Amino acid sequence: SEIIEFPVVMVDVRLQRAVAEFHHFVKPKVNPKLSEFCRQLTGIRQEDIDNALPLEDVIRRFERWHAQTVPPGSRTMLATDGPTDLKEFMYIHSVSRQGIRFPSMFYQWIDVKRFFAHFFQCQQGKIKAMLDALNCPFEGRLHSGIDDARNVATIVIRMLKLGCSFCEIPLSRLPYGATATTASLVAPEITTTATETVKLDKNDTNASSS
């Protein structure tokens, strides 16, 4: 398994809205030919991958975008729909197996499924189930990385408006230098494709306690 799409939606916690996006396809090293199943599931075309940059270059572009987008004095915290994106695709498959470097911010994150279940005292659910519970429509294509990221951002924004500070339970973490075996114990297996960042303003009371 390799990362083939790198979608990020930035949410301003103070403004409670999405303020920026970063989106790149990624050229895989091990399996450059997409399977029919993958193309049908994600909507990603072979030409999207053929014309994409390697993951290392996409990460560098993300770092430049992040530095240019986040105002001075603010900080960001990643938020994902479960642990799979960062625990498996980022750490096990990219860092551990391929030796690819990720910024330190990728080693701790808000697991939106866990926070949603804790905040509403319910079972953990998928993106569509969380949106349904919030009376929000699913926008776009399921399993499209950028569409999933936008929908997870919608969930985050709605939860912020309902009073969730995203500091009610501990963040999910991967320690620097951890082995793949150690990393696999961080959280249960949950399949996901969405990633987004939540921008935390240093003057925002919710953000300062995260």
Side-chain angles (χ1 to χ4, degrees):
S1 298
E2 298 181 82
I3 295 172
I4 58 173
E5 187 175 5
F6 200 110
V8 179
V9 175
M10 183 171 288
V11 172
D12 188 308
V13 171
R14 182 172 53 84
L15 298 177
Q16 298 183 350
R17 63 181 177 88
V19 294
E21 291 186 357
F22 175 90
H23 181 228
H24 275 274
F25 292 112
V26 178
K27 180 177 291 187
K29 292 181 177 180
V30 180
N31 297 302
K33 182 75 171 177
L34 295 182
S35 67
E36 177 66 21
F37 173 79
C38 182
R39 295 196 302 271
Q40 292 294 328
L41 180 70
T42 65
I44 298 175
R45 304 169 302 171
Q46 184 63 47
E47 52 264 39
D48 295 328
I49 298 304
D50 293 340
N51 296 323
L53 294 170
L55 181 56
E56 296 93 331
D57 292 341
V58 173
I59 292 171
R60 282 191 285 270
R61 289 198 175 195
F62 168 78
E63 289 182 292
R64 289 196 297 270
W65 172 84
H66 182 268
Q68 295 166 358
T69 305
V70 178
S74 298
R75 64 190 181 96
T76 57
M77 179 64 63
L78 291 180
T80 70
D81 173 41
T84 305
D85 284 337
L86 297 178
K87 188 188 73 173
E88 293 192 12
F89 290 105
M90 186 275 285
Y91 186 78
I92 295 177
H93 295 295
S94 301
V95 175
S96 180
R97 294 180 181 173
Q98 298 185 36
I100 296 173
R101 184 196 67 82
F102 275 76
S104 59
M105 66 181 293
F106 282 79
Y107 285 78
Q108 65 175 6
W109 67 94
I110 294 167
D111 184 333
V112 175
K113 284 184 177 178
R114 290 178 60 236
F115 275 83
F116 188 97
H118 183 272
F119 187 72
F120 291 106
Q121 293 298 293
C122 63
Q123 295 292 320
Q124 291 189 21
K126 297 182 179 181
I127 296 174
K128 180 67 164 57
M130 289 188 284
L131 288 169
D132 287 345
L134 295 170
N135 294 316
C136 296
F138 184 95
E139 301 286 350
R141 178 191 180 115
L142 190 63
H143 300 303
S144 159
I146 188 61
D147 288 340
D148 281 356
R150 289 166 179 160
N151 282 292
V152 174
T154 296
I155 294 167
V156 168
I157 293 167
R158 182 63 177 151
M159 290 177 67
L160 287 169
K161 291 180 182 294
L162 291 172
C164 181
S165 65
F166 289 97
C167 60
E168 289 86 356
I169 59 176
L171 298 173
S172 299
R173 300 178 188 274
L174 283 170
Y176 268 131
T179 64
T181 301
T182 302
S184 68
L185 301 176
V186 172
E189 300 291 332
I190 303 175
T191 301
T192 179
T193 57
T195 304
E196 77 286 340
T197 65
V198 179
K199 182 165 73 69
L200 304 180
D201 191 290
K202 69 175 182 179
N203 296 318
D204 185 82
T205 55
N206 290 343
S208 63
S209 58
S210 297

